[in-house]
Amino acid sequence: MKRAYRCSLTLLAFLCLLKVCELCSNVRASRAAKFVAEGSSLRLSCEVQHCGLPGWTGGWVFQDLDRVGFTPLTSSERIEKSSYNSTANSTYLFLNIHNVNHTDAGAYKCRISWPGNVTSSGHVTYVNVTAAAVDSPGRSLSYRVLVCLGALMCFPVVLGFVWCLTRDHRPPPPPVPPRPRTSCAARVKPKKELVYAEVALNDSRRQNDHPKQASEPIVYSSLRFS
């Protein structure tokens, strides 16, 4: 009974150790397919989980489309390899290829060699190199024509906006009310008329006794023409 218990504990410890070793000797990379234009740059990365254990080696390997098997990549003027320790348990490996051409088309992956002659690899990234994009002269000419037309259309709008900002916004003066047209006769004030009245008092009793004699007119001056 005790022997069976010891065997189970030993097996459990071995499985745990195997799991820890698997986690500490792992390469993480995403499986993908990339299309890169000729003349541009390519950047790839993978993560090596080593749990701080020394002694591991390796890097990027490449397989041409016309060949079988992967070959290690070496640094050159176009190919640049670098690494970055993100934590004490993992390290990132980077691959930069400048001025990509058709010979760079193929499969890329990270392959690490661990102590004890153990090897692990990450997922493969397939790279396809396409033709370089060439700017069409007709397209650039049409683009310039559209830009010029847009500028000409915006010029009157800008002038109108400036005119609206610079003009005087004061309200116009109120209109002068028209003068009433009147005739000269209406504007002349009427003259006051003098009314003379003659009042004669006659005594009826004396009128019967002494009739009034007509008095002769008195001449003050006379004018003769010869």
Side-chain angles (χ1 to χ4, degrees), residues 16-87:
C16 292
L17 182 61
L18 183 62
K19 185 65 175 177
V20 171
C21 292
E22 181 181 359
L23 292 176
C24 292
S25 60
N26 187 22
V27 180
R28 299 181 60 183
S30 59
R31 181 183 291 109
K34 293 188 176 183
F35 293 87
V36 184
E38 186 178 3
S40 60
S41 299
L42 173 65
R43 181 179 177 85
L44 301 175
S45 64
C46 67
E47 181 184 4
V48 180
Q49 295 181 343
H50 50 75
C51 296
L53 298 177
W56 61 274
T57 58
W60 290 92
V61 293
F62 169 70
Q63 180 183 1
D64 195 354
L65 297 177
D66 300 332
R67 297 180 182 178
V68 178
F70 286 86
T71 58
L73 288 174
T74 57
S75 299
S76 63
E77 295 181 356
R78 294 192 313 110
I79 300 175
E80 179 184 356
K81 297 188 297 180
S82 60
S83 61
Y84 170 70
N85 295 325
S86 59
T87 62

Side-chain angles (χ1 to χ4, degrees), residues 141-209:
L141 179 61
S142 61
Y143 177 76
R144 294 177 182 177
V145 171
L146 290 177
V147 171
C148 293
L149 291 178
L152 291 177
M153 293 177 63
C154 294
F155 185 71
V157 177
V158 174
L159 287 181
F161 183 72
V162 173
W163 178 79
C164 292
L165 292 179
T166 56
R167 70 173 184 173
D168 192 3
H169 294 280
R170 291 181 298 178
V176 180
R179 296 181 180 180
R181 297 181 180 180
T182 56
S183 61
C184 295
R187 289 184 291 175
V188 177
K189 296 182 179 180
K191 296 182 180 180
K192 297 181 180 180
E193 298 181 355
L194 300 178
V195 179
Y196 298 91
E198 182 181 358
V199 180
L201 299 177
N202 297 326
D203 191 356
S204 59
R205 290 178 298 178
R206 294 181 178 179
Q207 188 177 5
N208 296 328
D209 297 341

Side-chain angles (χ1 to χ4, degrees), residues 29-32 34 36 42 44-45 59-64 70-71 73 78-79 95 97 100-111 122-129:
S30 59
R31 181 183 291 109
K34 293 188 176 183
V36 184
L42 173 65
L44 301 175
S45 64
W60 290 92
V61 293
F62 169 70
Q63 180 183 1
D64 195 354
F70 286 86
T71 58
L73 288 174
R78 294 192 313 110
I79 300 175
L95 175 65
I97 302 178
V100 175
N101 53 42
H102 289 283
T103 60
D104 298 323
Y108 295 83
K109 70 176 181 178
C110 288
R111 185 169 62 186
H123 291 298
V124 178
T125 300
Y126 296 94
V127 176
N128 298 316
V129 179

